[in-house]
Amino acid sequence: MKLLAATNRYYLLLAGLLFTIGSVLLYVGVLWALREEVEERLFQQREYLTRAVQRTGKLPNTPFEGRTSLSATPQPVGLRDVLLLEPLENELEPYRQLTFVLPLEGRPQWVSLSKSLLETKDVRRLILQLLLGVLGSLLGGMVVLNRWLARRLWAPFERTLHQLQGYDVRHHQVLHLPDTRIEEFTQLNRALTSMSQRVANDYTMLKEFTENAAHETRTPLAIMQAKLEQLLQLPDLPPAAAPLISDLYTATQRLTRLHQSLTLLSKIENRQFIAAEPIRLEEVLREKLHQLEDFIQAKRLRLEVSLTPVPALPLHPALVDSLVSNLLHNAIRHNHEGGLLRVLLTATELEITNTGPALPAKEQPAQFFERFRKHNMASDSPGLGLSIVQRIGELYGFDIHYAYAPEQALHTLRVVF
């Protein structure tokens, strides 16, 4: 939920609650005031009649509104609500009634003064309608005003968030966020601009260090391999030295592969493969399968290939070669002897399936794309193949999926174009 929506929701709930409580209190207060007014009139009339009886000894004609009844039978004294029949409408109507005792002609008489509450009911209805109308309009207006005001005040934050969503340190860009009239947002923009400057500088330094390290280590590695090859070819090489030199040569080969993989990853992340040309994937797959034929036969793999001619994709040749090579090498290297290698190419995806070792239940497919992640720790692979595949997929917007079917121990890597 967006901050603006959450703010408006809480604001509306709290304002509605306050307005409801205020409306109820106001309505009860008005009702109480009207009843007080009716009762005050009744007491004034009682006072008037009492004085008149004391002065004249008889009950005068009542000049005020309401009903007056006289009874020689004892009645409950005091105020109460009663329903009296309205003769014109022939229906009962609510009245407020005050009963008291007056001495008339030497005998006590119970006098009841009644005043209709229908007038107060009409007044209450009118007040309630006005109350609901005014408070409803006020509540609606405040919600609209608050929403407009919040959008206006939070607009700088939205612009900052939009720039952050598009920020990519690999573009060596520095955020340029303008100052606003809101001091907190100005401080936030200045902090983010300063942070992006430091991040861009650090990334540039790291990139230069990686490039320099790759350049400086490539030549010594090539020299070491060449010298070790010469040593292995010496006719008078001592028998005890041969396995040692062979181990050194194998180690330098692994180091060279690691160096090449890290260099390739660095170049992909630095977007140094911008140039692209139309590439037909089925042709690349046929070429790679032909090159790996010896490895496939050495493991006696059961090869199933289905390559549908698809339109050429604009890709860099070196990256396509690396993508296909890593996928096929991965499927062959982690396959068991006599296993299955299935290559399926359609217009929307490339799918490579192989049989392989069973995965523990706790293994997550996403972990295989982590760098230096190897299922078999004894393997001479540097553990960067799937990381390279994932980076190439990210570069071209391909979705890379890994699936595992435990019943047949089938591992499937799917590249969706």
Side-chain angles (χ1 to χ4, degrees):
M1 180 185 294
K2 289 188 175 181
L3 179 63
L4 182 58
T7 304
N8 280 331
R9 177 173 296 184
Y10 283 117
Y11 181 80
L12 183 61
L13 289 175
L14 292 175
L17 179 63
L18 290 176
F19 278 12
T20 302
I21 294 175
S23 301
V24 171
L25 292 177
L26 186 58
Y27 178 76
V28 172
V30 170
L31 181 61
W32 176 83
L34 291 175
R35 291 177 69 86
E36 283 290 313
E37 179 65 20
V38 171
E39 292 173 1
E40 184 179 354
R41 290 290 184 90
L42 291 174
F43 283 119
Q44 288 175 351
Q45 293 172 7
R46 183 187 67 176
E47 188 66 21
Y48 172 80
L49 293 177
T50 301
R51 291 181 180 177
V53 169
Q54 289 175 351
R55 187 173 59 254
T56 62
K58 59 181 180 181
L59 192 67
N61 294 328
T62 53
F64 32 77
E65 297 177 351
R67 295 186 181 185
T68 302
S69 61
L70 194 63
S71 174
T73 306
Q75 300 290 327
V77 177
L79 285 167
R80 64 180 182 276
D81 291 327
V82 296
L83 293 175
L84 299 179
L85 181 64
E86 180 63 36
L88 295 178
E89 298 180 0
N90 194 28
E91 61 182 13
L92 295 175
E93 292 183 352
Y95 276 79
R96 191 67 172 163
Q97 189 177 75
L98 175 63
T99 303
F100 54 94
V101 182
L102 282 179
L104 294 174
E105 298 176 352
R107 292 180 300 174
Q109 296 288 331
W110 282 263
V111 181
S112 295
L113 301 176
S114 304
K115 188 170 180 57
S116 175
L117 293 176
L118 282 180
E119 295 177 359
T120 62
K121 184 177 178 180
D122 294 339
V123 173
R124 284 182 316 203
R125 184 185 298 114
L126 179 60
I127 291 175
L128 184 61
Q129 291 174 350
L130 290 175
L131 199 62
L132 292 177
V134 172
L135 292 183
S137 302
L138 189 59
L139 179 62
M142 290 183 68
V143 170
V144 173
L145 180 62
N146 178 69
R147 188 174 181 81
W148 173 80
L149 191 61
R151 283 186 177 279
R152 184 179 178 84
L153 292 177
W154 284 92
F157 179 78
E158 294 286 346
R159 289 195 291 270
T160 300
L161 184 61
H162 179 71
Q163 288 203 34
L164 285 177
Q165 289 173 336
Y167 180 74
D168 191 344
V169 68
R170 291 174 296 184
H171 296 162
H172 310 279
Q173 62 184 124
V174 178
L175 290 172
H176 296 286
L177 303 171
D179 292 343
T180 70
R181 291 181 298 176
I182 310 298
E183 184 177 352
E184 287 80 1
F185 291 157
T186 297
Q187 294 176 356
L188 175 65
N189 289 352
R190 288 175 181 172
L192 290 174
T193 301
S194 176
M195 185 185 69
S196 68
Q197 178 69 59
R198 293 196 301 271
V199 170
N201 291 339
D202 292 345
Y203 184 79
T204 301
M205 293 175 61
L206 180 62
K207 175 176 173 294
E208 292 176 354
F209 171 78
T210 304
E211 292 174 351
N212 293 336
H215 177 74
E216 295 299 329
T217 55
R218 182 169 55 241
T219 303
L221 276 175
I223 294 174
M224 287 172 62
Q225 276 191 297
K227 296 296 183 184
L228 289 172
E229 287 177 356
Q230 291 177 3
L231 281 174
L232 286 173
Q233 294 172 2
L234 288 177
D236 52 351
L237 183 66
L244 297 176
I245 297 175
S246 178
D247 290 344
L248 280 175
Y249 183 73
T250 303
T252 55
Q253 283 185 316
R254 293 182 59 182
L255 195 57
T256 300
R257 286 196 294 271
L258 175 62
H259 176 273
Q260 291 172 344
S261 298
L262 288 175
T263 303
L264 179 59
L265 274 173
S266 174
K267 288 182 177 179
I268 294 172
E269 291 173 350
N270 291 332
R271 297 181 179 272
Q272 295 181 11
F273 295 97
I274 301 301
E277 59 184 70
I279 302 291
R280 302 193 70 87
L281 274 181
E282 67 271 18
E283 295 178 359
V284 177
L285 284 166
R286 287 195 187 94
E287 180 184 352
K288 285 298 170 186
L289 287 171
H290 178 70
Q291 293 174 359
L292 298 172
E293 190 174 0
D294 293 341
F295 296 96
I296 295 173
Q297 290 180 354
K299 277 199 168 184
R300 291 183 296 175
L301 298 179
R302 183 159 46 92
L303 182 62
E304 296 180 4
V305 179
S306 174
L307 303 179
T308 304
V310 297
L313 297 174
L315 305 169
H316 193 284
L319 293 187
V320 176
D321 185 85
S322 178
L323 176 73
V324 175
S325 294
N326 277 294
L327 290 174
L328 291 177
H329 274 288
N330 182 75
I332 296 172
R333 182 182 298 115
H334 299 291
N335 214 323
H336 56 72
E337 190 168 343
L340 170 68
L341 173 58
R342 181 190 299 142
V343 180
L344 174 64
L345 176 66
T346 66
T348 57
E349 65 180 27
L350 168 63
E351 181 181 295
I352 296 180
T353 302
N354 67 281
T355 48
L359 294 181
K362 63 180 181 181
E363 288 280 2
Q364 297 295 326
Q367 295 176 336
F368 290 101
F369 294 99
E370 297 175 357
R371 295 185 182 185
F372 304 107
R373 178 82 179 185
K374 295 195 294 185
H375 183 67
N376 182 7
M377 299 306 295
S379 171
D380 60 351
S381 169
L384 293 171
L386 292 185
S387 296
I388 293 173
V389 170
Q390 188 180 44
R391 290 293 179 271
I392 294 174
E394 290 176 355
L395 181 66
Y396 290 115
F398 299 158
D399 291 328
I400 312 294
H401 302 283
Y402 185 96
Y404 172 65
E407 298 81 9
Q408 301 172 306
L410 286 179
H411 302 256
T412 301
L413 271 164
R414 185 178 293 110
V415 182
V416 182
F417 311 127

